[in-house]
Amino acid sequence: MKIVSGRNGTTGVLSALDSIEGAELPDGSKPVLTRATEGVEHSDVNTVVRYGALPPGSGNQTGGVYVGGKLAYVQIDISDISVLPGSTYSDGSPKTLETVLAHEMGHAYRIINAQANLGLLGEELTVSGLENQYRFAQGIQQRQYYGTYELKQYP
């Protein structure tokens, strides 16, 4: 996996990946998004994590995944102030580089493995639910909603 970043450096992304890969549930198993991140790293699709202020026209969202052939881009736009330290979702749950990266790696894994077949909203609800499992494993407050849709809570 290659990490490309602007002036903010790659340290934050590497630290977030280490945290994601070290996550464990109370029973000792790995959260789905931890396994997904490992799967992306070990797939035959070259994956580039682009972290920083993305160029205009890259989309208007904090994160995104783009897969074509044997190349995947996981993008996290830090010019979106919502990923700065102390940022939260509307329900008050923290929005951090670690949680956004875990979420986007979940999308990358599902796309690379041809599992992303639930439509945009279905995929977001599925991966946001898995993000809550990851948050539970890490002791991070879980998201209550994706938009107006309630999310699965763990345990």
Side-chain angles (χ1 to χ4, degrees):
M1 182 176 321
K2 179 179 179 182
I3 300 170
V4 178
S5 77
R7 63 183 181 276
N8 296 6
T10 60
T11 305
V13 175
L14 292 171
S15 177
L17 283 169
D18 285 345
S19 186
I20 293 165
E21 292 171 353
E24 285 188 357
L25 292 164
D27 67 2
S29 65
K30 295 179 181 181
V32 172
L33 291 184
T34 296
R35 294 192 317 267
T37 299
E38 292 169 347
V40 169
E41 287 187 283
H42 296 104
S43 78
D44 62 349
V45 175
N46 295 318
T47 303
V48 177
V49 176
R50 291 176 56 191
Y51 172 63
L54 302 180
S58 296
N60 60 354
Q61 54 195 21
T62 302
V65 176
Y66 310 93
V67 178
K70 294 291 182 184
L71 180 63
Y73 285 100
V74 176
Q75 299 190 154
I76 298 173
D77 188 349
I78 59 162
S79 66
D80 175 350
I81 60 169
S82 66
V83 294
L84 294 176
S87 299
T88 62
Y89 289 97
S90 59
D91 61 13
S93 60
K95 185 176 191 180
T96 66
L97 174 58
E98 176 185 341
T99 60
V100 171
L101 183 58
H103 180 103
E104 297 305 331
M105 294 300 274
H107 283 305
Y109 179 83
R110 290 179 59 77
I111 293 168
I112 288 169
N113 290 285
Q115 297 174 355
N117 56 7
L118 302 174
L120 182 59
L121 179 59
E123 287 299 321
E124 285 300 334
L125 293 174
T126 297
V127 174
S128 294
L130 297 175
E131 178 187 332
N132 271 352
Q133 182 196 45
Y134 174 77
R135 287 169 174 265
F136 169 68
Q138 295 293 75
I140 302 169
Q141 180 183 343
Q142 295 179 51
R143 293 175 65 180
Q144 302 297 310
Y145 297 95
Y146 179 86
T148 59
Y149 297 90
E150 287 188 29
L151 295 173
K152 178 178 172 95
Q153 302 296 297
Y154 291 85

